[in-house]
């Protein structure tokens, strides 16, 4: 099987074990890990021992179970350091955070989910909202809808097909046609808005970030709380961010004259291309 597909199933199982420990969210026993990862206990034991030796798992302080290891942080750093869009976006995000005085995030798409890659905090955050690497369903997030607004209709349909359309809060939009309408609206106006769809009281506005070919590569988020911030308060810094991000992309545009447009620029889009959402 491994020769036919070119995939080492032992490596796949090891990563499943690592992911299972993360999903469980507490110091996990071998039995819990084996059940969550879908492997037998003896295989789980061997893989846990290997991951322990490499630093990807650790025993918790009470030695009652296994938790993700700190060595994982090294690879988070590797990814952030080597991803050009994050390097290009960071000065824009810092300036926007200074002017908006609210939480500023940059997310990227992974399948039917978004992952937060940069998070610049305000003073009023719950703990999960401060962490990079957090994943959310694209359908329920303004960043996911913003990125989908630059995709063709069949691509958006495929993301919704792969999603578990469930309510995270009572205000999460789960109806397929309503979601398609939200994506189409974002394509028209250049940004997406999610009001209390992931966290009660939270309002998040996101603009898509595109590469040289107009494809979505990320989304820029501004997050505030509904009791003290309305849509108008968020729109002013978003318009400002578009102006500054366009300015940040100029060095890359100059490079495209002499090399293929393989590098990404930070350009939140204000108008959809003609092929979007058709």
């Amino acid at each position: 099987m491994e020769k036919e597909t070119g995939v080492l199933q032992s490596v796949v199982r090891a990563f499943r074990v690592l992911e299972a420990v993360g999903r469980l969210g507490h110091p996990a026993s071998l039995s819990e890990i084996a059940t969550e990862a879908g492997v037998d206990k003896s295989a789980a034991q061997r893989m846990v021992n290997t991951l322990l030796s490499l630093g990807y798992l650790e025993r918790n302080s009470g030695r009652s179970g296994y938790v993700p290891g700190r060595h994982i942080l090294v690879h988070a750093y590797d990814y952030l350091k080597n991803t050009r869009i994050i390097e290009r976006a960071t000065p824009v995000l810092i300036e926007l955070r200074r002017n908006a005085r609210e939480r500023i995030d940059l997310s990227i798409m992974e399948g039917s989910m978004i992952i937060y890659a940069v998070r610049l905090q305000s003073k009023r955050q719950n703990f999960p909202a401060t962490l990079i690497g957090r994943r959310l369903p694209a359908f329920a997030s303004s960043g996911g809808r913003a990125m989908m607004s630059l995709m063709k209709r069949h691509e958006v349909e495929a993301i919704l097909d792969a999603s578990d359309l469930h309510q995270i809060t009572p205000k999460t939009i789960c109806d397929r046609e309503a979601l398609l309408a939200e994506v189409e609206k974002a394509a028209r106006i250049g940004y997406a808005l999610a009001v209390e769809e992931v966290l009660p009281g939270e309002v998040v506005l996101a603009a898509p970030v595109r590469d040289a070919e107009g494809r979505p590569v990320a989304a820029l988020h501004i997050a505030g709380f509904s009791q003290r911030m309305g849509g108008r308060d968020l729109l002013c810094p978003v318009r400002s961010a578009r102006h500054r991000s366009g300015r940040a992309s100029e060095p890359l545009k100059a490079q495209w004259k002499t090399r293929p447009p393989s590098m990404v620029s930070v350009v939140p889009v204000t108008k959809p291309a003609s092929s979007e959402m058709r």
Side-chain angles (χ1 to χ4, degrees), residues 182-203:
E182 288 293 317
V183 173
E184 290 171 354
K185 180 180 178 181
R188 289 195 308 273
I189 64 178
Y191 62 87
L193 183 66
V195 179
E196 299 186 291
E197 294 194 50
V198 173
L199 187 68
E202 186 180 62
V203 179

Side-chain angles (χ1 to χ4, degrees), residues 80-134:
L80 297 173
K81 178 185 68 174
N82 290 295
T83 302
R84 190 57 180 253
I85 183 61
I86 294 173
E87 177 187 354
R88 286 290 177 185
T90 296
V92 175
L93 299 173
I94 291 171
E95 187 175 356
L96 185 57
R97 168 67 185 86
R98 183 168 56 246
N99 292 336
R101 299 189 300 277
E102 295 293 344
R103 192 183 81 229
I104 306 298
D105 301 321
L106 187 79
S107 68
I108 55 179
M109 189 83 82
E110 184 193 48
S112 63
M113 309 288 285
I114 67 162
I115 303 175
Y116 287 104
V118 180
R119 313 202 81 173
L120 305 182
Q121 304 307 312
S122 72
K123 295 179 181 179
R124 303 164 290 271
Q125 300 298 328
N126 65 343
F127 181 60
T130 68
L131 303 176
I132 65 167
R134 188 186 185 196

Side-chain angles (χ1 to χ4, degrees), residues 109 111-112 138-139 144-163 165 175-187 215-216 275-278:
M109 189 83 82
S112 63
F139 80 86
R145 294 174 195 166
M147 285 185 271
M148 286 191 281
S149 75
L150 297 184
M151 299 178 186
K152 295 180 180 179
R153 175 71 175 237
H154 71 87
E155 294 174 304
V156 176
E157 295 270 12
I159 289 172
L160 297 182
D161 288 342
S163 301
L165 302 180
D175 179 77
R176 189 184 186 91
E177 293 305 315
L179 288 168
L180 290 170
E182 288 293 317
V183 173
E184 290 171 354
K185 180 180 178 181
R215 297 289 301 167
S275 63
E276 290 154 14
M277 281 299 295
R278 64 186 182 192

